[in-house]
Amino acid sequence: ANVDGSGTEVAGILWAAIDASSADKKGTAVVRRAEVNFAELTWDSGVDAAEKETARASLARLGIIAR
């Protein structure tokens, strides 16, 4: 996998931002069978519309429906 995260399959949606850059941190995530508001998801500033749609498809494979 690329070190910048590109090409990485989505594993879920974090409930809140977590800074785990210096050490592992615990957090809460939606990982299956859920419905979320796609417009309410937050993205890194470098993520474009095509990448967001790819992420939406990855979420759907987990059973997370982003409307």
Side-chain angles (χ1 to χ4, degrees), residues 8-65:
T8 303
E9 187 74 13
V10 170
I13 301 170
L14 284 174
W15 187 258
I18 299 171
D19 181 2
S21 58
S22 61
D24 290 346
K25 302 282 175 103
K26 291 186 178 187
T28 303
V30 176
V31 296
R32 66 182 180 278
R33 298 186 57 171
E35 185 173 330
V36 298
N37 183 341
F38 192 71
E40 294 294 323
L41 299 178
T42 56
W43 304 89
D44 183 70
S45 60
V47 178
D48 64 28
E51 291 169 316
K52 290 177 184 178
E53 288 306 317
T54 299
R56 184 194 305 248
S58 293
L59 289 170
R61 286 190 287 279
L62 295 174
I64 300 172
I65 306 305

Side-chain angles (χ1 to χ4, degrees), residues 1-8:
N2 294 327
V3 295
D4 66 356
S6 63
T8 303

